[in-house]
Amino acid sequence: MVTITIDGQRIEAAEGERILEVARRNDIFIPSLCFLEGLTVSGSCRLCMVQVDGGRLPQMACATPVREGMDVVTNTEEIRNQQRMLLQLIFASGQHVCAVCEANGYCELQALAQRLGMTHIMLSPRWPMAQVDLTHEQYGYDINRCVMCQRCIRACEEIEGAGVWAIRGHHSEERILPGLSGKWGEADNCTNCGKCVMACPTGALFDKQVATAEMKKDCGLLIRLVEHRERLS
């Protein structure tokens, strides 16, 4: 065990644990969209930045392991401003109109914006108009609401072992798409398990049978599946 300090609070943590895991276990708020317990670390959203040992450059809490005597600060004004700017970039790059979204009220992106006091965006929105993929018999994919967190990729690969989702394209044209054709209904390796839908933090992946503001998701189910698999191994 090691002893660290987060926002002035002395906390014991296991060696190898990451800052974000320790903070969440102790009810200390650090925003994140790409992190999901039970999956490998991605670090793609960059929202979980914290100050470590007074350093000038913030570090990602999801990827930084704790060490003895570490001093972590999560809530400086500079950090909060950077997190709000990142959220603005996410909102501006997609179609995030909460009032008409299946995940309204259950969306992690929406909840983070409210928690960080973001009431509007100052950036010019792109308003992408890509066609919603409804080719799957049970689920739909609105790529306009995707935040590139990669949780669907990792849940599908690491828990279900199907490998349906992958990143396609380069740089600003990168997109997460299913199967070789890019149409979910044509992905023969999809098992219809819905784990990717449960892992999605927004309304990008949704059950076609739910309406606006009805898309409740149980990310804890994925954690329980991982724990059960570890007990059997």
Side-chain angles (χ1 to χ4, degrees):
M1 301 292 288
V2 298
T3 301
I4 68 172
T5 302
I6 303 181
D7 295 337
Q9 179 180 343
R10 289 176 62 83
I11 298 171
E12 284 195 346
E15 290 188 25
E17 275 193 294
R18 296 178 176 87
I19 295 172
L20 184 57
E21 295 171 312
V22 178
R24 289 192 172 184
R25 193 175 67 248
N26 288 274
D27 297 322
I28 298 172
F29 172 66
I30 298 177
S32 175
L33 281 175
C34 65
F35 179 82
L36 187 60
E37 187 177 350
L39 301 179
T40 56
V41 172
S42 165
S44 57
C45 75
R46 309 286 176 178
L47 284 167
C48 67
M49 61 183 73
V50 295
Q51 184 184 66
V52 176
D53 295 332
R56 292 181 57 191
L57 296 177
Q59 298 186 33
M60 291 187 296
C62 69
T64 305
V66 298
R67 51 178 167 73
E68 180 63 38
M70 176 182 279
D71 183 24
V72 179
V73 179
T74 72
N75 55 7
T76 68
E77 189 60 29
E78 181 181 2
I79 287 175
R80 288 291 184 252
N81 286 337
Q82 291 180 19
Q83 290 166 340
R84 281 189 282 266
M85 179 54 68
L86 285 171
L87 280 178
Q88 284 197 52
L89 288 168
I90 293 173
F91 271 95
S93 64
Q95 281 272 19
H96 301 293
V97 182
C98 301
V100 294
C101 180
E102 291 84 356
N104 184 17
Y106 307 100
C107 172
E108 294 179 42
L109 176 62
Q110 181 187 49
L112 283 182
Q114 293 171 343
R115 180 74 182 264
L116 293 174
M118 200 187 88
T119 58
H120 62 283
I121 61 174
M122 296 180 291
L123 305 174
S124 298
R126 290 180 56 191
W127 298 120
M129 296 294 290
Q131 185 174 357
V132 178
D133 182 359
L134 298 175
T135 57
H136 192 282
E137 60 181 356
Q138 183 174 353
Y139 302 114
Y141 176 35
D142 187 347
I143 195 171
N144 305 296
R145 294 174 179 165
C146 176
V147 296
M148 295 295 292
C149 68
Q150 304 175 28
R151 278 162 49 162
C152 59
I153 297 176
R154 288 173 285 148
C156 184
E157 179 67 35
E158 298 169 16
I159 299 179
E160 185 62 15
V164 172
W165 301 91
I167 296 177
R168 307 284 173 79
H170 301 282
H171 306 298
S172 62
E173 298 302 317
E174 279 190 348
R175 299 290 183 271
I176 294 177
L177 295 172
L180 294 175
S181 69
K183 295 182 179 180
W184 199 352
E186 297 177 3
D188 294 335
N189 49 340
C190 179
T191 63
N192 305 328
C193 70
K195 292 182 179 66
C196 58
V197 179
M198 285 296 168
C200 179
T202 68
L205 298 177
F206 58 92
D207 190 321
K208 291 160 68 173
Q209 300 180 45
V210 303
T212 299
E214 290 185 351
M215 190 62 190
K216 296 182 180 180
K217 299 186 179 184
D218 180 14
C219 289
L221 171 64
L222 302 179
I223 299 171
R224 294 191 294 273
L225 288 171
V226 171
E227 292 174 345
H228 180 66
R229 182 179 61 187
E230 290 176 348
R231 286 195 297 269
L232 293 177
S233 61

